[in-house]
Amino acid sequence: MINEGTGRADPQYVLEVCADSVESAIAAWSGGADRVELCSALIIGGLSPGPVLFRQVRQYTDLEIRVLLRPRFGDFCYSKYEHEALREEVEMFREMGADGVVIGSLNPDGTLNMEQMEELAHLAGDMKITMHRAFDVCRDPFEALEQCIGLGIDTILTSGQKASAWEGRSLLAELVKRAAGRIEILAGAGIGPDSIAGLADFTGVRSFHMSGKEVKESRMQFRRGGVPMGLPGFDEFEIWQTAEENVRAASQIIRKLMLSERPDSEKQA
């Protein structure tokens, strides 16, 4: 919820922004987000960020920072070497003072890799833990829900196992019901000012995850074409960043929802 005095959200409602740059994190903070999921390479779904980016976001914002830990693009079935890297990253960001980590590992059969998840959860110590969207490609979301609760995970980021949270709204509603307050269900994918109110009403979700991105033109004046540097189909002279106004618009929607749920005596106050 949005606090009248600070303009920030109260704990009953949460607005989280995924950001892969200092500029995006600052925009999230200025727009009224509660926390940031910090990553790199958001254009391919997000990978682990570096320590320098973490330090900069800590320096320039006062946001709660949960760090996405994902060693590569692709599936969530990790080799022993990739798991070792995740272990080291959990320890590194815990020592750096991260508020939380965002993790998820699967077995080839689509079940949670409980051995790997237990190790990472243990290493996280007193940090908050989010189960990332590996949840959305697991075999049994209800089994995974209970396993996450058993591991002491605080949050599940999910689109309801669909391409967008609105498409997955029926599963999101069932997850909220079964969670019964034991774990935060954080709706992600396709979240924006136009979808929040409808999702909140249909599903009971009170936590929302968005990028709020806009596409900016590169400052480059000289542009050599035909030399792709990454995935085909992406313009090398476009930069994706969070827009403060998009976050603020989402914050305002949440504020209206919060006000509508207050007792009449509090509304008048």
Side-chain angles (χ1 to χ4, degrees):
M1 291 192 299
I2 305 299
N3 182 287
E4 298 285 354
T6 65
R8 314 213 70 75
D10 289 333
Q12 291 88 337
Y13 274 91
V14 174
L15 180 60
E16 176 180 278
V17 173
C18 50
D20 62 357
S21 67
V22 181
E23 291 86 352
S24 288
I26 291 172
W29 170 242
S30 300
D34 300 289
R35 68 185 184 223
V36 65
E37 180 197 71
L38 189 63
C39 63
S40 66
L42 187 55
I43 200 168
I44 56 172
L47 302 176
S48 302
V52 173
L53 178 58
F54 174 84
R55 283 196 293 267
Q56 287 184 309
V57 172
R58 181 64 87 205
Q59 177 181 353
Y60 291 110
T61 79
D62 194 27
L63 286 166
E64 177 186 338
I65 304 174
R66 296 194 188 184
V67 182
L68 173 67
L69 302 182
R70 186 182 178 208
R72 56 162 170 76
F73 173 74
D75 65 37
F76 303 101
C77 186
Y78 296 127
S79 70
K80 68 174 184 177
Y81 306 109
E82 291 167 332
H83 181 61
E84 285 175 8
L86 289 169
R87 285 171 49 93
E88 289 193 30
E89 287 180 328
V90 171
E91 292 179 309
M92 176 181 70
F93 284 111
R94 187 191 67 217
E95 291 169 2
M96 292 183 70
D99 299 290
V101 288
V102 184
I103 60 174
S105 299
L106 300 180
N107 293 311
D109 66 358
T111 59
L112 296 195
N113 187 323
M114 292 297 286
E115 182 178 352
Q116 291 186 350
M117 294 283 290
E118 284 174 357
E119 276 197 85
L120 298 179
H122 174 73
L123 290 170
D126 59 359
M127 286 192 293
K128 298 288 186 181
I129 304 173
T130 298
M131 170 74 185
H132 60 47
R133 291 190 65 207
F135 183 88
D136 282 329
V137 291
C138 76
R139 178 182 295 274
D140 185 337
F142 303 123
E143 177 185 51
L145 170 70
E146 296 301 329
Q147 289 173 321
C148 286
I149 293 169
L151 287 170
I153 289 174
D154 302 276
T155 302
I156 295 174
L157 170 61
T158 174
S159 64
Q161 297 200 323
K162 297 292 185 180
S164 72
W166 182 249
E167 292 177 70
R169 61 191 181 278
S170 294
L171 178 55
L172 285 171
E174 185 63 24
L175 289 169
V176 169
K177 179 180 177 181
R178 296 197 187 200
R182 296 175 294 162
I183 193 169
E184 176 187 37
I185 303 300
L186 175 64
I191 298 297
D194 295 336
S195 62
I196 288 174
L199 276 169
D201 181 60
F202 188 95
T203 67
V205 165
R206 294 295 180 264
S207 299
F208 300 92
H209 171 97
M210 66 182 292
S211 68
K213 65 178 179 294
E214 65 178 1
V215 180
K216 295 185 175 181
E217 277 288 307
S218 167
R219 293 185 294 112
M220 288 293 297
Q221 296 176 341
F222 173 76
R223 301 188 179 192
R224 186 181 299 282
V227 189
M229 297 292 176
L231 294 174
F234 288 98
D235 189 337
E236 304 292 345
F237 299 103
E238 290 182 348
I239 299 171
W240 293 18
Q241 286 183 355
T242 298
E244 179 182 332
E245 56 268 28
N246 292 340
V247 178
R248 181 173 294 108
S251 296
Q252 290 171 348
I253 295 297
I254 290 176
R255 179 176 182 273
K256 290 178 182 178
L257 291 172
M258 175 271 291
L259 289 172
S260 71
E261 294 179 4
R262 282 185 176 179
D264 290 339
S265 58
E266 291 185 23
K267 291 177 185 178
Q268 294 169 0

